[in-house]
Amino acid sequence: AQTVTQSQPEMSVQEAETVTLSCTYDTSENNYYLFWYKQPPSRQMILVIRQEAYKQQNATENRFSVNFQKAAKSFSLKISDSQLGDTAMYFCALRNNAGNMLTFGGGTRLMVKP
Amino acid sequence: ETGVTQTPRHLVMGMTNKKSLKCEQHLGHNAMYWYKQSAKKPLELMFVYSLEERVENNSVPSRFSPECPNSSHLFLHLHTLQPEDSALYLCASSQGARGQSPLHFGNGTRLTVT
C-alpha cells in the first residue's frame, strides 16, 4: 500500500513572496514517480511538476521547484514569486512504476494575497 | 477541441434516477480513469481502463458502472445513488497506465444526489 500525506490544509502567502508546501509519502517500492497537481476554482487538475525517484536532481519548472528527500520520503513544492493566479488547491501524488494507481494526498489550499 | 472534456458540468438527480456521465479525450491517450473527489477527502480512484486491463477499486459500489467503448470515450453509468455519492467526479487520461505518465484531467462533473 502507498500513502501520501499533506499536513498543511491551508496556507497563505503574499504576492511575490515564496511559499513551500509539504508532502510526505510512504511506499515499499524503490522506483516510483511523484507529482504536484494544482486545482484552481475552475476544478481542472493541472500538472505542475513531476519527479522521478531515481533522479537525485530536484525538478524545476519556471517558478516551481521541488525539494525531494528520498530517504526521508519527503517531496515539498516551492513556489517562488507567488502570483494571484497561483491561488488553488495543490495535491501531491505518488505512482509506483509498476502500478496504475495514482495516490493523492488530501491537498493544501493556497491563497495568494495581494 | 483538445484535452479532456466532461459532460455534464453539473448534474442533480434523485435517488431513483438513472443517469450517465460522459468523458472524451482528444489527446491520443490509451488509458482513462474515473476519480471521485469528496469534500475533505483525498481523491479516490474508482476505475482504470487501459489497453492492458480494466482495474476497479473494490470499494466502489455496484451502483456505479463504467463503460469504455474505445480509447477516447469513457462513461460512468449511475443508478439508485445515495446522497453520500454527491461529489465531484473527475475523468482523466494518460499515455500508458503506469509509471511516469502524468494524468490529464477534465473539469469534472459536480453531482448532487437529492
Side-chain angles (χ1 to χ4, degrees):
Chain A
Q2 55 193 44
T3 60
V4 178
T5 303
Q6 293 178 249
S7 60
Q8 305 152 314
E10 295 185 355
M11 293 191 72
S12 63
V13 62
Q14 290 297 131
E15 193 175 8
E17 293 188 348
T18 296
V19 64
T20 298
L21 308 183
S22 301
C23 173
T24 57
Y25 61 91
D26 192 23
T27 177
S28 58
E29 300 291 326
N30 193 48
N31 195 10
Y32 51 89
Y33 300 86
L34 294 158
F35 305 85
W36 276 99
Y37 280 87
K38 167 186 177 182
Q39 187 179 38
S42 66
R43 307 185 326 204
Q44 185 177 21
M45 298 277 280
I46 302 166
L47 178 67
V48 174
I49 198 166
R50 63 178 162 178
Q51 173 82 41
E52 294 90 342
Y54 59 86
K55 288 187 177 179
Q56 291 186 332
Q57 185 174 5
N58 289 325
T60 299
E61 288 287 341
N62 300 314
R63 298 183 295 106
F64 299 88
S65 61
V66 299
N67 183 6
F68 174 47
Q69 301 290 327
K70 190 172 183 178
K73 294 186 177 177
S74 171
F75 183 61
S76 60
L77 175 68
K78 185 172 82 171
I79 305 174
S80 304
D81 186 24
S82 298
Q83 301 176 358
L84 296 179
D86 295 334
T87 293
M89 283 289 291
Y90 286 81
F91 293 93
C92 179
L94 163 71
R95 187 183 212 174
N96 290 325
N97 188 46
N100 50 31
M101 177 173 288
L102 185 64
T103 301
F104 286 85
T108 296
R109 184 177 302 279
L110 176 67
M111 173 73 72
V112 179
K113 299 179 179 179
Chain B
E1 189 174 338
T2 59
V4 181
T5 304
Q6 289 187 243
T7 55
R9 191 161 172 81
H10 301 274
L11 177 63
V12 179
M13 60 185 289
M15 290 190 285
T16 59
N17 291 157
K18 290 184 180 181
K19 296 287 185 182
S20 296
L21 309 185
K22 179 182 177 182
C23 177
E24 185 174 358
Q25 61 95 2
H26 305 273
L27 300 169
H29 290 165
N30 56 14
M32 297 188 76
Y33 311 76
W34 281 116
Y35 276 86
K36 177 183 179 182
Q37 186 177 22
S38 304
K40 302 187 187 303
K41 292 175 70 175
L43 273 78
E44 175 189 357
L45 177 65
M46 301 177 74
F47 303 101
V48 181
Y49 276 89
S50 71
L51 289 178
E52 297 84 23
E53 61 189 337
R54 162 184 159 175
V55 177
E56 54 190 275
N57 184 337
N58 290 330
S59 67
V60 176
S62 59
R63 55 185 183 267
F64 294 91
S65 175
E67 178 189 359
C68 190
N70 54 61
S71 60
S72 299
H73 294 85
L74 183 65
F75 297 90
L76 187 63
H77 302 300
L78 318 170
H79 63 98
T80 59
L81 294 191
Q82 303 298 310
E84 61 264 29
D85 296 323
S86 298
L88 180 67
Y89 288 84
L90 292 168
C91 174
S93 69
S94 67
Q95 184 54 38
R98 299 183 183 276
Q100 66 174 318
S101 304
L103 271 61
H104 296 255
F105 286 84
N107 286 336
T109 294
R110 174 72 65 188
L111 173 66
T112 303
V113 181
T114 60

